[in-house]
């Protein structure tokens, strides 16, 4: 991949999902390791090895073993330091496990869980958004695969989110009835973009994200903005995210992502999950593109599209309060 292609504009378009070519390039980076990965946390004399993953074909993996391995390689570095073993296995698992999220052909490995776990593993093992010591294409290939998963064609129907078990912006709870979900795949995907996309490309990406016409998508995005304010406005790490039902914006294993213990800069205030340049680019773009008038118009369209839904009161109030919080926290006009 040339440098021009790696830094070309980046958009989210319903129906344009992960790039098969990018996924193949990521697969080619790391072959099957010679030794099975070992667990990070153990008290017995023998360390558990994930030998069932010693297979190039992910369809032969067991879900419980993959789940455990992703947790171990994401939780281990924070307590025991970076180990080549976990980094190599992360590089091997990342592109192959993505094919298990569910494309209508392969069995679905609890896609919502798996997508979030892969995002967390990426944030843990690639804390530097510049991807030092890796080929130029890797960062963009990651954005063209894992960050595009929720836009696969089978998840959309004429610009609206189609019913699917992986991603639903409008959920239904026995406690509240309908509610908007800004967490899981949506939250992880947005933060993959904010952390790794070049700052000068964030404005174009946000135009595409806010331009998606599905009223439920827009409402879930606003809920994500409300829940993610600590990361974007306050420069915090995911541990500051709330796990309340009001503004869901968390994803699988996000609590395993920690700030570096030995910051590379003397100014500790500059240590944040999303670097200052990208946060500032996002905030500037958001203030240009979103305002009280647009949020009110979305609310009207949302109400019109939900008139026939019983039990929509909570979702309607949720959007209204989220929109007010977003206006306040992000300084929208």
């Amino acid at each position: 991949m040339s440098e021009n292609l790696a830094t070309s504009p980046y958009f989210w378009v319903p129906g344009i999902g992960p790039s098969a070519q990018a996924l193949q390039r990521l697969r080619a980076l790391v072959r099957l390791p010679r030794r099975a990965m070992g667990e990070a946390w153990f008290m017995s004399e023998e360390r558990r090895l994930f030998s069932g993953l010693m297979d190039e074909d992910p369809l032969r993996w067991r879900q419980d073993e993959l789940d455990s391995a992703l947790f171990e390689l994401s939780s281990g570095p924070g307590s025991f330091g970076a180990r080549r073993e976990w980094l190599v296995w992360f590089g091997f698992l990342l592109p192959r496990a993505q094919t298990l999220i569910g494309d209508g052909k392969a069995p679905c490995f609890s896609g919502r869980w798996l997508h979030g776990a892969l995002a967390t593993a990426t944030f843990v093992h690639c804390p530097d958004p510049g991807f030092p010591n890796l080929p130029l294409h890797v960062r963009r290939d990651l954005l063209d695969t894992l960050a595009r998963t929720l836009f696969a064609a089978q998840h959309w129907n004429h610009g609206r989110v189609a019913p699917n078990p992986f991603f639903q912006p409008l959920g239904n709870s026995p406690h509240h009835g309908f509610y908007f979900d800004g967490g899981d795949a949506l939250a992880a995907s947005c933060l993959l973009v904010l952390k790794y996309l070049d700052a000068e490309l964030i404005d174009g990406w946000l135009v595409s994200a806010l331009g998606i016409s599905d009223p439920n998508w827009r409402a879930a995005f606003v809920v994500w903005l409300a829940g993610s304010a600590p990361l974007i406005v306050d420069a915090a790490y995911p541990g500051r995210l709330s796990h309340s039902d009001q503004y869901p914006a968390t994803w699988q294993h996000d609590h395993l992502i920690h700030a570096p213990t030995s910051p590379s800069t003397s100014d500790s205030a500059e240590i944040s999950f999303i670097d200052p340049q990208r946060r500032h680019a996002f905030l500037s773009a958001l203030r240009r593109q979103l305002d009280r008038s647009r949020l009110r118009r979305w609310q009207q369209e949302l109400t019109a599209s939900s008139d026939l839904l019983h039990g929509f009161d909570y979702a309607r109030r949720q959007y209204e309060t989220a929109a007010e919080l977003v206006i306040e926290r992000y300084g929208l006009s």
Side-chain angles (χ1 to χ4, degrees), residues 55-316:
D55 196 311
E56 276 281 0
D57 184 359
L59 291 177
R60 296 190 179 124
W61 300 345
R62 291 202 329 265
Q63 179 172 346
D64 62 336
E65 192 161 22
L66 176 61
D67 291 351
S68 296
L70 288 174
F71 177 83
E72 296 293 315
L73 65 80
S74 297
S75 62
S79 296
F80 306 110
R83 292 188 180 181
R84 177 172 172 75
E85 171 192 9
W86 293 326
L87 179 61
V88 169
W89 270 97
F90 160 70
F92 174 75
L93 293 175
L94 174 67
R96 293 161 179 84
Q98 289 186 58
T99 64
L100 299 173
I101 290 175
D103 61 1
K105 301 175 182 177
C108 182
F109 266 53
S110 185
R112 291 167 68 92
W113 187 100
L114 181 54
H115 183 274
L118 289 172
T120 291
T122 301
F123 294 138
V124 168
H125 288 279
C126 304
D128 187 331
F131 280 42
N133 306 318
L134 287 173
L136 180 67
H137 66 84
V138 174
R139 179 159 55 102
R140 185 55 178 260
D141 283 348
L142 175 70
L143 295 174
D144 283 336
T145 55
L146 191 61
R148 289 191 191 274
T149 304
L150 49 76
F151 292 101
Q154 68 269 19
H155 300 323
W156 295 81
N157 183 20
H158 300 294
R160 302 289 179 96
V161 178
N164 69 88
F166 170 59
F167 167 61
Q168 278 295 341
L170 181 64
N172 199 346
S173 158
H175 304 293
H176 306 303
F178 288 105
Y179 70 98
F180 293 111
D181 189 358
D184 292 320
L186 175 56
S189 299
C190 287
L191 289 168
L192 283 166
V193 175
L194 283 184
K195 188 167 180 69
Y196 298 124
L197 186 65
D198 290 341
E200 60 269 23
L201 303 180
I202 286 176
D203 184 83
W205 162 71
L206 187 60
V207 168
S208 70
L210 297 180
I212 295 172
S213 60
D214 185 341
N216 293 336
W217 161 271
R218 292 170 171 173
F221 197 90
V222 171
V223 167
W224 169 74
L225 284 172
S228 297
L231 304 187
I232 301 170
V233 180
D234 303 332
Y237 262 69
R240 284 272 306 279
L241 291 174
S242 169
H243 286 260
S244 72
D245 294 337
Q246 191 171 15
Y247 309 125
T250 59
W251 65 96
Q252 192 67 31
H253 299 332
D254 57 18
H255 64 285
L256 300 178
I257 306 164
H258 305 295
T261 54
S262 301
S264 56
T265 174
S266 59
D267 185 0
S268 59
E270 291 296 298
I271 299 299
S272 58
F273 178 59
I274 304 166
D275 70 43
Q277 186 180 13
R278 288 173 169 87
R279 283 194 299 106
H280 296 157
F282 179 78
L283 288 170
S284 296
L286 188 69
R287 289 163 183 160
R288 285 193 300 272
Q289 299 178 37
L290 193 61
D291 56 19
R292 187 182 296 272
S293 175
R294 192 175 188 185
L295 288 166
R296 187 180 301 115
R297 187 165 64 251
W298 286 358
Q299 180 180 343
Q300 293 168 351
E301 294 173 4
L302 186 66
T303 300
S305 69
S306 62
D307 278 346
L308 300 179
L309 287 179
H310 177 70
F312 198 75
D313 289 345
Y314 178 85
R316 187 176 293 108

